[in-house]
């Protein structure tokens, strides 16, 4: 199994995945780790991280009620699947704070645009049962509400297109070129690496591309079938874009407030500076795209080389300040 570190993912996406994982494993005793990871479009390390969390879940914290799931490194075994069965159910007793937290969370999850309608209805039915079981303790939850930031209906349309094997038409904003383009894509899978993306075969460029959902300005599910060419799924556990050795080298110096750059950008080196900052050397196929990074850093960083990119960043900063009447 690869020893690559597992990147943090969106908590909502991970919750969706783990809920599906419980059902998947219950129906497939002894499933192979590689097969399960491939089915969910994640790395084996990410799957093992989920498996480390699942044994902390169950109907209570008493012996036998927690999920008894383990792995021998190749297969996954669930030793007490009946722990979630009806035969294990007991009358629900919730304290007021427990009932409030559970009901508020359930109602919030039911509003997620990426939730399949069948799952939404099942969740609403379960919420109604919890309300009945909680009795007066459920009253406070009606006065509270939580909403999630999301990509609206884009996630739902992409998810539906993947399930129904249909092509998508999108209007997509590309920050590197600062333009909106229209494309037809054959979606392959949804992935979460910091943000949520759809990996797809782009009919415009005739190549595999990855699109960030919050940059999709408009989307339609088409009647045409999705037919991406056969291709090997990439390992996206480290980053969506892995620089190549032949890509141009860029050097950026950041102050203490810009150290986060080394955490978010794959780089060759990050040397400490006397003021607590870093001198970061990285490679990118599109150095011009780093002008936005320089503008975002402001006083916390600057591009050192190549000289033409540094000059371009200074010009962009000067023009931005002039637009606001700042000299």
């Amino acid at each position: 199994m690869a020893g690559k570190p597992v990147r943090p993912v969106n908590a909502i996406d991970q919750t969706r995945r783990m809920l599906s994982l419980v059902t998947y494993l219950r129906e497939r005793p002894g499933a192979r780790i590689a097969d399960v990871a491939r089915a969910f479009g994640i790395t084996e390390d990410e799957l093992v991280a989920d498996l480390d969390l699942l044994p902390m879940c169950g109907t209570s914290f008493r012996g036998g009620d927690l999920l008894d799931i383990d792995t021998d490194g190749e297969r996954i075994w669930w030793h007490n699947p009946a722990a979630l069965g009806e035969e294990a159910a007991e009358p629900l007793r919730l304290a007021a704070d427990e009932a409030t937290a559970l009901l508020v969370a359930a109602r919030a999850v039911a509003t997620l645009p990426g939730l399949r309608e069948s799952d939404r209805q099942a969740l609403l039915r379960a919420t109604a049962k919890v309300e009945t079981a909680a009795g007066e303790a459920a009253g406070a939850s009606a006065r509270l509400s939580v909403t999630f930031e999301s990509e609206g209906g884009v996630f739902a349309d992409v998810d539906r297109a993947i399930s129904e094997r249909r092509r998508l038409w999108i209007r997509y904003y590309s920050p590197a070129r600062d333009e909106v383009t229209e494309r037809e894509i054959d979606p392959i899978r949804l992935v979460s690496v910091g943000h949520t993306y759809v990996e797809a075969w782009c009919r415009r460029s005739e190549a595999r591309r990855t699109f960030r959902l919050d940059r999709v300005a408009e989307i339609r599910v088409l009647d045409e079938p999705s037919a991406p060419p056969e291709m090997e799924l990439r390992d996206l556990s480290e980053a969506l874009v892995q620089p190549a050795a032949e890509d141009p080298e860029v050097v950026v110096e950041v102050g203490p407030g810009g150290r986060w750059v080394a955490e978010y950008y794959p780089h060759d080196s990050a040397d400490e500076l006397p003021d607590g900052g870093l001198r970061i050397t990285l490679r990118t196929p599109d150095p011009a795209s780093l002008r936005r990074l320089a503008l975002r850093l402001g006083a916390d960083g600057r591009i050192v080389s190549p000289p033409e990119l540094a000059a371009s960043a200074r010009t962009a900063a000067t023009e931005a300040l002039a637009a606001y009447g700042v000299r």
Side-chain angles (χ1 to χ4, degrees), residues 19-316:
L19 289 172
S20 300
L21 188 59
V22 168
T23 302
Y24 187 94
L25 293 178
R26 186 171 185 175
E27 296 173 353
R28 296 168 177 81
R32 292 182 178 276
I33 286 181
D35 294 340
V36 178
R38 188 180 305 110
F40 281 81
I42 59 177
T43 67
E44 293 183 25
D45 286 331
E46 287 175 311
L47 174 60
V48 171
D50 287 348
L51 296 177
D52 288 341
L53 288 177
L54 284 178
M56 302 179 188
C57 305
T59 56
S60 80
F61 286 100
R62 296 177 302 179
D65 289 343
L66 294 176
L67 305 185
D68 186 5
I69 297 176
D70 66 22
T71 174
D72 59 6
E74 181 180 354
R75 295 180 178 273
I76 304 168
W77 303 100
W78 187 345
H79 301 294
N80 64 338
L84 294 186
E86 293 183 0
E87 65 275 12
E90 295 185 1
L92 180 63
R93 297 180 178 86
L94 294 174
D97 59 338
E98 293 173 326
T100 299
L102 181 58
L103 290 170
V104 170
R107 293 188 187 114
V109 171
T111 66
L112 290 174
L115 204 62
R116 291 184 176 88
E117 188 57 31
S118 59
D119 294 336
R120 190 188 315 279
Q121 294 303 319
L123 179 58
L124 291 175
R125 290 193 296 271
T127 302
K129 292 179 180 179
V130 173
E131 288 177 335
T132 300
E136 295 181 0
S141 69
R143 299 189 292 272
L144 300 172
S145 65
V146 174
T147 57
F148 295 110
E149 293 184 3
S150 67
E151 294 83 11
V154 175
F155 185 103
D157 284 339
V158 174
D159 188 49
R160 181 162 68 93
I162 292 174
S163 299
E164 299 177 2
R165 300 181 182 275
R166 291 165 64 183
R167 188 173 298 175
L168 287 166
W169 172 89
I170 61 173
R171 292 181 63 244
Y172 186 76
Y173 172 67
S174 175
R177 294 186 297 273
D178 194 23
E179 65 177 1
V180 176
T181 58
E182 296 184 7
R183 303 165 182 263
E184 288 190 8
I185 62 173
D186 293 336
I188 299 171
R189 58 172 173 166
L190 285 159
V191 294
S192 291
V193 184
H195 295 277
T196 305
Y197 301 79
V198 56
E199 187 176 15
W201 181 259
C202 178
R203 293 287 167 176
R204 171 178 168 151
S205 59
E206 288 298 315
R208 173 164 48 188
R209 293 289 184 266
T210 304
F211 302 95
R212 209 168 103 176
L213 296 197
D214 60 357
R215 292 177 179 162
V216 176
E218 190 176 352
I219 186 170
R220 289 200 303 267
V221 180
L222 303 177
D223 292 332
E224 288 88 342
S226 173
E230 290 289 333
M231 64 184 77
E232 184 178 353
L233 293 179
R234 298 177 297 168
D235 179 4
L236 302 179
S237 62
E238 291 190 352
L240 289 172
V241 179
Q242 291 295 321
E246 61 272 16
D247 288 339
E249 182 180 272
V250 178
V251 178
V252 180
E253 288 188 353
V254 300
R259 294 180 67 95
W260 57 268
V261 174
E263 300 176 9
Y264 285 86
Y265 286 79
H267 54 275
D268 295 336
S269 63
D271 301 320
E272 294 286 343
L273 295 175
D275 64 353
L278 294 171
R279 182 182 178 90
I280 303 169
T281 301
L282 53 85
R283 296 181 182 277
T284 172
D286 183 17
S289 65
L290 293 182
R291 282 198 301 266
R292 289 181 176 272
L293 172 63
L295 293 174
R296 180 180 178 185
L297 285 169
D300 285 325
R302 66 189 183 96
I303 294 174
V304 177
S305 68
E308 60 274 16
L309 180 59
S312 174
R314 284 194 297 270
T315 299

Side-chain angles (χ1 to χ4, degrees), residues 7-27:
R7 291 175 57 88
V9 298
N10 181 287
I12 297 173
D13 292 335
Q14 185 180 25
T15 300
R16 288 191 187 114
R17 184 174 71 230
M18 292 180 68
L19 289 172
S20 300
L21 188 59
V22 168
T23 302
Y24 187 94
L25 293 178
R26 186 171 185 175
E27 296 173 353

